Amino acid sequence: MTREGTSVSSLYFMQTTTSARLKRLRYSLEAHGVGALLETHLPNIYYLSGFSGDSGALLVDSSSATLFTDGRFTIQAKQECPGIRTRIHRGSLLEAVGEHLRKKGRNRVAVSPSRLTLAGWKALKKAAGSSVKWAGVDGIAERLRAVKDPFEIQCLRESARLGSEVMEETIRQIRPGVTELEIAAEIGYRMRRKGASGESFEAIVAAGPRSALPHARPTERRIGKNELVVLDLGAILRHYCSDLTRTVYFGRAPVRVKQWYQAVLDAQLAARNVLRAGVSAGTVDAAARNVLQHKGLGRYFVHSTGHGLGIEIHEDPRVARGQKWSLEAGNVITLEPGVYMEGVGGIRIEDEALVTPRGAEILTSAPREFIEI
Ligand code: ZN
Ligand code: ZN
């Protein structure tokens, strides 16, 4: 949906969605014993107000929400958040917010320490003066965002479908002599042709021994015979990210590579099978990890099993070793076990799962069976 194409009904929808979210946020502020939240993290601002500009701050208290932004976004703010008061500032954003708070004589305002720079915090505090009391609380809006509402689930479904289509098409593009960068360029191009506003992260295309680097950046290296190729990609569609990984083999794979692949697939399936509302994130991680450990591959699984995703590519909950976070219906997480052997290569299989009361629904759809090209 383009901005020009935003219909009156979808604006109305966005307004009712954001007001429902603000209501949930206010309950949470009450529970934290604070009168207001100063939100400075742009994805949280988008979630709570619909504003998608790249500079702003949002102040929410028990009865109002005020967006602070600059003159570049006057029209955009009016279009995107009709129900929210907007203040256009000149100069420093946080100073403008601080001065506003000083005039209001605000009670206790929550800010997220991990989202502020030291310089920003100092400027804010100075401008607000001593009458404003602060509370440093991380993750208030992030906690709400972890449970997706039906509109978000729909956006995530569509983003996952787009990512899966691009994955299937890209695998068909792999030819001898093509470079990792050429494949990565193809991924970005195909996503935008299908309506994505961009990539949710720089696509990983890693061949041969480079596939053992879980976060390899694509290079000018040419894909050669008898190599593993890891493709990890994601699109942003209507502000929502997708994320999936497939590993293919260029040539005829040795038996041991097929066995490793099967072990990773079994690990993903084990994680998927324990997944449902009420289970801890650590239990899901352990399910995948145990499979690889039993196959003697535990030490090659060097990262966590998954992460939440939504407006951002990495969100709560983290699906990692020992995580106590109890999963809820509406969480959307990745399941991405992998093994990485230095000098040989890596294998990762990643899909997105929506947590439901009784299990999991997989949102990504590209085939998972071992592909030899
Ligand atoms: Zn990924
Ligand atoms: Zn991921």
Side-chain angles (χ1 to χ4, degrees), residues 21 148 299 321 348 351 372:
R21 291 174 186 170
K148 272 65 185 176
R299 68 195 172 99
R321 219 192 285 247
R348 178 165 68 254
D351 285 282
E372 293 168 304

Side-chain angles (χ1 to χ4, degrees), residues 123-141:
L124 178 64
K125 234 173 107 177
K126 195 174 163 209
S130 56
S131 65
V132 178
K133 299 287 171 263
W134 300 97
V137 193
D138 276 322
I140 297 179

Side-chain angles (χ1 to χ4, degrees), residues 46-93:
Y46 173 71
Y47 178 78
L48 294 168
S49 72
F51 177 68
S52 69
D54 55 20
S55 179
L58 184 72
L59 182 66
V60 184
D61 63 20
S62 58
S63 59
S64 66
T66 310
L67 174 73
F68 297 80
T69 187
D70 62 72
R72 293 171 297 169
F73 302 104
T74 310
I75 300 169
Q76 187 176 336
K78 204 195 284 177
Q79 287 175 345
E80 290 182 337
C81 19
I84 285 170
R85 196 180 305 155
T86 303
R87 285 180 170 264
I88 304 298
H89 70 90
R90 292 199 186 104
S92 154
L93 169 67

Side-chain angles (χ1 to χ4, degrees), residues 46-279:
Y46 173 71
Y47 178 78
L48 294 168
S49 72
F51 177 68
S52 69
D54 55 20
S55 179
L58 184 72
L59 182 66
V60 184
D61 63 20
S62 58
S63 59
S64 66
T66 310
L67 174 73
F68 297 80
T69 187
D70 62 72
R72 293 171 297 169
F73 302 104
T74 310
I75 300 169
Q76 187 176 336
K78 204 195 284 177
Q79 287 175 345
E80 290 182 337
C81 19
I84 285 170
R85 196 180 305 155
T86 303
R87 285 180 170 264
I88 304 298
H89 70 90
R90 292 199 186 104
S92 154
L93 169 67
L94 289 174
E95 277 176 26
V97 178
E99 277 156 25
H100 174 85
L101 286 168
R102 183 204 289 266
K103 284 182 209 142
K104 285 243 172 185
R106 188 67 62 192
N107 39 23
R108 244 160 78 84
V109 183
V111 285
S112 175
S114 65
R115 304 294 188 192
L116 281 173
T117 63
L118 187 55
W121 167 235
K122 281 182 175 167
L124 178 64
K125 234 173 107 177
K126 195 174 163 209
S130 56
S131 65
V132 178
K133 299 287 171 263
W134 300 97
V137 193
D138 276 322
I140 297 179
E142 286 85 345
R143 184 85 212 192
L144 301 180
R145 281 172 52 201
V147 178
K148 272 65 185 176
D149 59 40
F151 171 70
E152 294 187 285
I153 291 169
Q154 190 52 35
C155 291
L156 282 161
R157 265 184 219 290
E158 287 166 22
S159 181
R161 189 186 307 138
L162 193 156
S164 306
E165 280 174 24
V166 170
M167 179 65 83
E168 288 192 55
E169 290 176 16
T170 305
I171 289 172
R172 289 199 288 271
Q173 296 294 312
I174 301 177
R175 303 263 182 280
V178 71
T179 71
E180 293 170 348
L181 275 169
E182 282 164 354
I183 302 265
E186 197 68 44
I187 289 168
Y189 174 74
R190 283 170 187 270
M191 281 179 184
R192 286 188 165 85
R193 286 297 303 259
K194 289 176 187 290
S197 61
E199 296 180 58
S200 43
F201 57 94
E202 194 187 334
I204 295 168
V205 182
R210 296 196 74 261
S211 61
L213 282 63
H215 273 199
R217 301 187 100 154
T219 66
E220 287 183 299
R221 189 183 186 283
R222 293 184 188 283
I223 294 170
K225 207 78 183 133
N226 303 320
E227 286 188 340
L228 281 161
V229 186
V230 171
L231 299 147
D232 187 350
L233 57 87
I236 304 170
L237 181 68
R238 293 159 67 193
H239 299 282
Y240 282 81
C241 295
S242 51
D243 187 7
L244 74 156
T245 306
R246 291 293 180 264
T247 304
V248 298
Y249 195 86
F250 196 67
R252 289 261 152 253
V255 175
R256 62 173 187 159
V257 169
K258 286 185 184 166
Q259 285 168 343
W260 293 337
Y261 189 92
Q262 191 57 46
V264 174
L265 196 56
D266 289 346
Q268 196 203 42
L269 195 63
R272 182 176 162 177
N273 285 341
V274 298
L275 190 59
R276 64 178 164 76
V279 163

Side-chain angles (χ1 to χ4, degrees), residues 17-35:
T17 303
T18 51
S19 61
R21 291 174 186 170
L22 286 170
K23 201 172 160 188
R24 282 169 63 214
L25 180 79
R26 287 183 178 117
Y27 283 129
S28 183
L29 295 183
E30 240 171 74
H32 280 92
V34 291

Side-chain angles (χ1 to χ4, degrees), residues 232 243 307 313-314 334 336 350:
D232 187 350
D243 187 7
H307 54 86
I313 186 62
H314 293 122
T334 66
E336 50 178 306
E350 176 180 28

